[in-house]
């Protein structure tokens, strides 16, 4: 086998670390599941099985049963759980239990949870052998392109997951109740600060499954004090902000297998959707808008006390990956990407956007009406919009401006008393009510006798009072 006295099965430290990390998350798994989650670059399960055997020699792993199709199940001992905490860089207090005895019945639910984690994560394969420099350009020695494809198609890493997470309700005595989540994903790099995952093997009634979300809602409503003494939801002490309105999102992954057909599965989903309507629908808040004024006919949904509830199937995740349109948000009515499914297109922010748009349209209409009224009052056409086409030439004069008196003619030259149109006169003499600026200037430059000779009649008549 090429092993040593310490590790007789010849496993490497890298693979042993992969096994500890994977089992620290999954608690119980087959060698094939460990390989696909932690080190898919290996062609078979031999390296993982050897690592499990070497770790078992040191009292870190053990096998207590098999799956229903005969695959050996591996788990961790208490010492192995401590070693897994170190491999995952987590406190041992956050590792949960060791799932002892889970493999004696084949662990069908744990196997479905494992497959869900694998389908969402899609760990990219890594090279398992060093490549010599002389072979670096040889296409046969390069890892296939599927590694990059799976990297784009998945969310998070092995360390992004926790399984069998208990959410306890504060209470006293034996009345303490809790809701246990199958898996929790923290993948902020993929836009998912927190996602709670429930895997449904369709072995219990839809009513039992729906009742679980009532307990979730009670837990999310519990309040606590933060380090500054502020009153915040208790779940905020466990998880980061979701980036959206409401409680953390929960996805139900249906895994009917051969137990349910397509119609039966659809009926089950519809039943759960109806039973949880008050959990995910939010509350409608009627609001007025700038254009309506009376407050009728518009509003938004308040999701502050709602749980974003999503549906999908294990088959969809395995076939298309988590970044495709494989998520059905209750209330949206279509398959969407996770980003679109977690959005709230009818919340208060959407109402503000609609109201701002209506306000802009109303302001534009009022401006058009103002221009039209001003043009009508002055007998002119309204000022065209910069985007409006130039009007066709009609060959007609500009309409006469009403109510504007004609200027009085000059007694000397007959031009308007205000002077020639379009000419600006510098320092004109004071207006005498009879002459234009040019004539007033000429008269000022003539000798007095000539002025009397030319305009004596006017001067005399003026002196006589006629």
């Amino acid at each position: 086998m090429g092993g040593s006295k310490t590790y007789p099965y010849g496993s490497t430290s890298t693979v042993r670390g992969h096994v500890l990390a994977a089992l620290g998350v999954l608690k119980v798994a087959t060698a094939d599941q460990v390989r696909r989650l932690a080190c898919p670059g290996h062609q078979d399960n031999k390296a993982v099985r050897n690592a499990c055997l070497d770790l078992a020699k040191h009292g870190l792993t053990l096998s207590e049963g098999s799956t229903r199709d005969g695959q050996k199940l591996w788990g961790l001992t208490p010492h192995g759980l401590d070693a897994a905490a170190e491999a995952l860089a987590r406190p041992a207090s956050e590792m949960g239990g060791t799932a002892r005895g889970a493999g004696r019945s084949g662990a069908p639910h744990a196997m479905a949870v494992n497959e869900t984690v694998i389908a969402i994560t899609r760990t990219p394969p890594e090279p398992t052998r060093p490549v010599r420099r002389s072979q670096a350009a040889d296409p046969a020695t390069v890892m296939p392109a599927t590694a990059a494809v799976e990297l784009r198609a998945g969310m998070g890493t092995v360390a992004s997951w926790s399984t069998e997470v208990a959410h306890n309700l504060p209470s006293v005595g034996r009345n303490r109740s809790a809701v246990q989540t199958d898996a929790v994903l923290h993948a902020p790099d993929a836009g998912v600060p927190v996602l709670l995952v429930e895997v449904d093997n369709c072995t219990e009634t839809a009513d039992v499954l729906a009742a679980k979300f009532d307990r979730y809602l009670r837990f999310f409503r519990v309040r606590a004090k933060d380090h500054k003494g502020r009153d915040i939801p208790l779940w905020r002490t466990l998880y980061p902000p979701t980036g959206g309105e409401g409680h953390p999102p929960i996805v139900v992954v249906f895994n009917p297998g051969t137990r349910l057909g397509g119609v039966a599965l659809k009926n089950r989903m519809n039943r759960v959707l109806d039973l949880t309507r008050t959990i995910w629908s939010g509350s409608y808040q009627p609001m007025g808008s700038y254009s309506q004024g009376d407050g009728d006919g518009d509003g938004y949904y308040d999701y502050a006390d709602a749980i974003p509830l999503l549906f999908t199937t294990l088959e969809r995740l395995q076939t298309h990956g988590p970044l495709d349109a494989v998520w059905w948000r209750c209330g949206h009515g279509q398959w969407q990407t996770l980003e679109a499914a977690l959005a709230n297109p009818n919340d208060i922010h959407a109402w503000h956007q609609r109201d701002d748009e209506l306000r802009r349209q109303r302001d534009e209409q009022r401006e058009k009406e103002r221009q039209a009224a001003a043009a009508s009052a002055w007998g002119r056409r309204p000022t065209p919009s910069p985007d409006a086409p130039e009007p066709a030439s009609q060959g007609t004069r500009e309409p006469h401006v009403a109510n504007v008196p004609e200027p009085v003619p000059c007694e000397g030259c007959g031009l308007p008393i205000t002077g020639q149109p379009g000419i600006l006169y510098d320092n004109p003499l004071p207006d005498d009510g009879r002459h234009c600026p040019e004539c007033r200037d000429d008269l000022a430059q003539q000798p007095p006798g000539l002025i009397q000779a030319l305009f004596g009649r006017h001067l005399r008549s003026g002196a006589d009072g006629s």
Side-chain angles (χ1 to χ4, degrees), residues 51 57 63 76 97 101 104 137 158 180 182 211 223 227 291 303 431:
K57 177 178 174 59
S63 176
L76 296 174
R104 295 174 185 174
V158 178
Q180 182 164 291
D182 292 332
R223 313 291 291 184
H227 64 285
S291 64
Y303 294 98
D431 187 2

Side-chain angles (χ1 to χ4, degrees), residues 10-324:
S11 63
T12 64
S13 60
T14 300
V15 178
R16 291 194 297 272
H18 287 324
V19 170
L20 288 173
L23 291 180
V25 170
L26 303 181
K27 300 301 188 294
V28 58
T30 66
D32 181 65
Q33 289 176 333
V34 172
R35 179 190 67 81
R36 287 185 286 127
L37 176 62
C39 48
H42 291 270
Q43 295 183 355
D44 54 39
N45 306 328
K46 183 177 181 181
V48 175
R49 292 198 305 269
N50 291 340
C52 290
L53 291 170
D54 280 338
L55 291 171
K57 177 178 174 59
H58 292 272
L60 302 180
T61 61
L62 76 165
S63 176
E64 288 189 318
S66 301
T67 63
R68 293 181 178 180
D69 59 358
Q71 298 186 62
K72 181 178 287 189
L73 290 171
W74 291 93
L76 296 174
T77 65
H79 291 297
L81 200 63
D82 294 336
E86 184 176 354
L88 293 169
R90 294 180 185 175
S93 59
E94 297 181 4
M95 293 302 296
T98 58
R100 290 181 60 89
R104 295 174 185 174
S105 60
H109 184 262
M111 295 300 99
V113 174
N114 294 351
E115 293 298 333
T116 299
V117 172
I118 294 169
I120 294 177
T121 309
R122 294 186 169 229
T123 304
E126 298 177 354
T128 57
R129 295 181 181 178
V131 179
R132 295 196 302 271
R133 294 180 183 272
S134 60
Q135 297 177 338
D138 185 1
T141 63
V142 180
M143 288 295 297
T146 55
V149 173
E150 292 195 6
L151 178 62
R152 291 194 300 268
M155 293 191 306
T157 64
V158 178
S160 303
W161 288 93
S162 301
T163 59
E164 300 180 5
V165 181
H167 298 97
N168 296 321
L169 291 170
S171 57
V172 181
R174 296 182 179 180
N175 294 326
R176 183 184 181 91
S177 59
V179 56
Q180 182 164 291
T181 306
D182 292 332
V184 178
L185 172 65
H186 299 278
D189 292 341
V192 187
V194 58
L195 181 67
L196 279 61
V197 180
E198 288 288 339
V199 180
D200 177 40
N201 277 350
C202 304
T203 55
E204 58 187 9
T205 65
D207 300 68
V208 173
L209 175 61
K212 193 170 187 177
F213 298 101
D214 292 327
R215 299 198 298 274
Y216 269 117
L217 187 58
R218 290 202 302 271
F219 172 77
F220 289 147
R221 286 174 173 174
V222 175
R223 313 291 291 184
K225 299 290 185 180
D226 65 359
H227 64 285
K228 294 184 179 181
R230 296 173 299 186
D231 189 51
I232 62 172
L234 177 63
W235 66 265
R236 284 289 307 276
T237 64
L238 304 175
Y239 303 122
T242 63
E245 189 178 13
H247 304 305
I250 303 176
V251 56
V252 181
V253 180
F254 292 91
N255 178 39
T258 59
R259 292 175 291 276
L260 296 179
V263 175
L265 177 60
K266 183 177 180 180
N267 292 337
R268 180 177 180 84
M269 290 181 174
N270 288 332
R271 177 64 177 169
V272 176
L273 183 145
D274 290 336
L275 292 173
T276 58
R277 188 171 299 275
T278 57
I279 302 293
W280 53 259
S281 60
S283 59
Y284 183 75
Q285 304 294 327
M287 293 285 288
S289 68
Y290 186 80
S291 64
Q292 293 164 344
D294 56 2
D296 294 335
D298 197 10
Y300 70 95
Y301 279 87
D302 183 2
Y303 294 98
D305 193 36
I307 300 177
L309 184 59
L310 287 70
F311 292 166
T312 189
T313 65
L314 180 56
E315 181 183 6
R316 284 180 176 270
L317 289 174
Q318 292 174 330
T319 303
H320 304 286
L323 301 185
D324 207 341

